[in-house]
Amino acid sequence: MRLDRYVSIATHSPRSEVTRLIRGGHVKIGTQVVKDGGVHVTVGKDAVQVKGQALEAPGTLVLMMHKPQGVVTTTEEGAGPTVMGLIPRDLQRKALAPIGRLDKDTTGLLLLTTDGDLNHALTHPRRHVERAYRAELAGELCSNAEAQFEQGVQLQDGTLCQPATLERLGPVSARIVLREGRYHQVKRMVAACGSTVLRLHRERIGQLWLDPLLPPGSVRRLDGDELQALGVAWPQDTVESA
Ligand code: URA
């Protein structure tokens, strides 16, 4: 894509203004100032900056949501309040989908993206992307729960889970890190170790933590560092068809 078109889409600015910016030496590809708007930019590879600010490239959108209790993780309508209903109008896209699911009563980090490949990469069982949860429990876990988690908890229906990590934070509070995603997995692992989950909150996916300043129910784009933490090598995008 031509540089001037790329900058115009990414900044929502008219081409005439973009041409002024480019000719004025305010636009860089990588570390290089480029004054010719006709230069080719490879979307997904080239990092473009305007006045020192990294631009989001056209094509992909990744959002962080602090999921509150009481909303369902689905793109289907008719199931009551859903996570899709929390997305502000300017961030709504037809192709946007949650990356994995959180139960209706689970709070915390939920990512959504228009990028099917990214969604697949983060949810595929063979990738073993970590998910960290904080769980508040109804009672103490059995004494060997850490060892069971380390070896792979056997659920009450006989399913053997992949090894996971359990850290007790108090008598009825724990941090649990999974590397696979089964239905109600934390709740079922905790049940297999003799307790019940009262509250569940996801803190982290891979190396990406929920922004502590993002209030429950809020949504925002990921910034460049956060995209890198997820292993996304390209800048975030603003429109789908470019
Ligand atoms: N495990 C659960 O039991 N529930 C969730 O929402 C996520 C993981």
Side-chain angles (χ1 to χ4, degrees):
M1 185 187 300
R2 286 175 59 105
L3 176 63
D4 48 11
R5 176 164 157 69
Y6 182 108
V7 175
S8 169
I9 293 169
T11 60
H12 304 283
S13 307
R15 203 68 87 85
S16 53
E17 198 181 304
V18 169
T19 302
R20 260 201 310 279
L21 281 171
I22 294 174
R23 292 211 180 124
H26 299 294
V27 177
K28 281 185 187 168
I29 302 178
T31 55
Q32 203 79 39
V33 172
V34 178
K35 294 192 172 181
D36 176 1
V39 164
H40 180 79
V41 176
T42 305
V43 180
K45 267 201 162 169
D46 288 322
V48 179
Q49 285 181 25
V50 173
K51 295 187 172 172
Q53 294 276 352
L55 281 196
E56 299 173 352
T60 292
L61 183 66
V62 190
L63 302 180
M64 172 187 289
M65 174 182 290
H66 184 161
K67 182 189 170 296
Q69 280 197 338
V71 292
V72 179
T73 311
T74 180
T75 53
E76 312 267 307
E77 282 175 23
T82 72
V83 293
M84 304 314 282
L86 296 174
I87 298 171
R89 188 174 290 246
D90 63 317
L91 294 176
Q92 285 174 14
R93 304 284 188 276
K94 260 207 306 272
L96 203 52
I99 300 180
R101 285 174 48 92
L102 289 177
D103 296 339
K104 188 171 176 182
D105 57 352
T106 300
T107 59
L109 177 59
L110 181 71
L111 298 174
L112 302 102
T113 185
T114 55
D115 183 338
D117 291 342
L118 176 65
N119 202 329
H120 186 257
L122 290 173
T123 50
H124 195 284
R126 251 182 271 139
R127 298 288 185 112
H128 303 298
V129 176
E130 287 192 349
R131 278 145 174 79
Y133 297 88
R134 171 97 189 233
E136 306 304 326
L137 311 173
E140 283 197 42
L141 294 162
C142 58
S143 57
N144 71 343
E146 282 92 340
Q148 286 198 46
F149 268 67
E150 219 170 279
Q151 284 153 25
V153 170
Q154 180 143 33
L155 302 179
Q156 282 161 351
D157 68 358
T159 306
L160 186 63
C161 296
Q162 295 279 326
T165 310
L166 169 72
E167 180 192 352
R168 289 181 211 248
L169 302 172
V172 289
S173 170
R175 176 167 292 125
I176 290 168
V177 180
L178 305 185
R179 293 166 197 89
E180 60 176 346
R182 295 176 185 276
Y183 182 64
H184 291 337
Q185 184 163 353
V186 172
K187 291 173 185 163
R188 293 196 292 156
M189 289 169 89
V190 165
C193 293
S195 188
T196 305
V197 172
L198 294 180
R199 272 192 304 280
L200 189 60
H201 180 81
R202 183 155 68 192
E203 302 176 308
R204 175 170 66 82
I205 296 175
Q207 297 309 308
L208 179 67
W209 291 83
L210 176 64
D211 176 354
L213 299 178
L214 190 67
S218 301
V219 181
R220 66 160 174 77
R221 292 166 189 276
L222 295 196
D223 66 26
D225 289 344
E226 291 167 337
L227 287 165
Q228 252 186 3
L230 273 190
V232 178
W234 58 92
Q236 193 178 359
D237 301 352
T238 51
V239 292
E240 288 186 333
S241 55

